[in-house]
């Protein structure tokens, strides 16, 4: 099984994803590691990515997800997956590739982004991410104000992990 933890930057995808992977003795992957160098430079300079920019990234992620599905165990992917088309490309099917949507207020997310020292995106990019976000209807939706341990337990319970 692959569990995709999605949401805008600053929603806690990596934190929750790492904690979930540890709790289920799974493998954690950060979608940011799959971006071509050109995308990383663009994001660090404060420019939003276009769909054309995202295409090679999503293709690399799709290939990775397919490879993880043939391995035993659980893989956890922290990925923005802002649009329905992105999630479809990743293979989210509700059975073998499950989706968790980390949802919270823009104010809380912005505060988290401002407190981070190592984020790929600056807090100024939050508005463009929120504008692009297509909230999923078929995901386990969790409130990011809850403690990490609570969110991990909710995921484990929902997906029988």
């Amino acid at each position: 099984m692959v569990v995709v933890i999605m949401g805008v930057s600053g929603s806690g995808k990596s934190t929750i994803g790492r904690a979930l992977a540890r709790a289920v003795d799974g493998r954690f992957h950060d979608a940011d590691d799959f971006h071509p160098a050109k995308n990383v430079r663009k994001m660090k300079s404060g420019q939003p990515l276009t769909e054309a920019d995202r295409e090679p990234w999503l293709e690399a992620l799709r290939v990775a997800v397919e490879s993880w599905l043939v391995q035993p165990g659980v893989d956890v992917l922290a990925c923005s997956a802002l649009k329905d088309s992105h999630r479809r490309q990743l293979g989210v099917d509700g059975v073998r590739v499950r989706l968790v949507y980390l949802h919270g207020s823009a104010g809380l997310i912005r505060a988290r982004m401002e407190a981070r020292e190592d984020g790929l995106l600056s807090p100024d990019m939050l508005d463009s991410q929120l504008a692009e976000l297509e909230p999923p209807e078929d995901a386990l939706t969790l409130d990011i104000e809850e403690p990490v341990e609570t969110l991990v337990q909710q995921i484990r319970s929902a997906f029988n992990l």
Side-chain angles (χ1 to χ4, degrees):
M1 174 188 300
V2 175
V3 178
V4 177
I5 310 289
M6 68 151 293
V8 297
S9 184
S11 61
K13 298 180 299 292
S14 296
T15 300
I16 301 303
R18 282 187 186 95
L20 176 63
R22 275 192 308 272
V24 300
D25 199 24
R27 295 168 294 272
F28 173 76
H29 313 276
D30 192 323
D32 287 344
D33 295 337
F34 290 78
H35 274 295
K38 177 183 85 159
N39 286 7
V40 173
R41 286 191 301 274
K42 192 170 184 178
M43 288 184 288
K44 285 188 173 186
S45 72
Q47 299 175 53
L49 297 179
T50 65
E51 287 304 303
D53 293 329
R54 288 187 186 100
E55 191 55 38
W57 172 67
L58 288 165
E59 179 60 20
L61 287 169
R62 183 191 64 74
V63 169
V65 167
E66 287 178 1
S67 74
W68 301 333
L69 285 171
V70 298
Q71 299 175 26
V74 177
D75 285 89
V76 180
L77 174 64
C79 180
S80 55
L82 297 176
K83 295 187 175 194
D84 182 59
S85 62
H86 302 166
R87 298 184 289 269
R88 282 195 317 270
Q89 190 163 354
L90 291 174
V92 171
D93 63 7
V95 179
R96 296 181 344 130
V97 182
R98 298 294 214 31
L99 187 64
V100 176
Y101 170 40
L102 298 180
H103 175 50
S105 73
L108 174 58
I109 294 169
R110 187 175 308 280
R112 286 181 174 184
M113 290 178 80
E114 289 170 350
R116 287 196 322 202
E117 295 178 12
D118 63 343
L120 186 58
L121 294 180
S122 76
D124 298 337
M125 299 290 291
L126 178 59
D127 292 336
S128 69
Q129 284 214 325
L130 290 171
E132 286 195 38
L133 175 65
E134 297 172 359
E137 296 179 10
D138 57 349
L140 172 62
T141 301
L142 300 178
D143 183 346
I144 64 170
E145 289 193 34
E146 294 290 334
V148 171
E149 299 79 21
T150 300
L151 296 174
V152 168
Q153 187 53 48
Q154 289 173 342
I155 297 166
R156 292 185 73 186
S157 294
F159 298 159
N160 296 315
L161 297 174

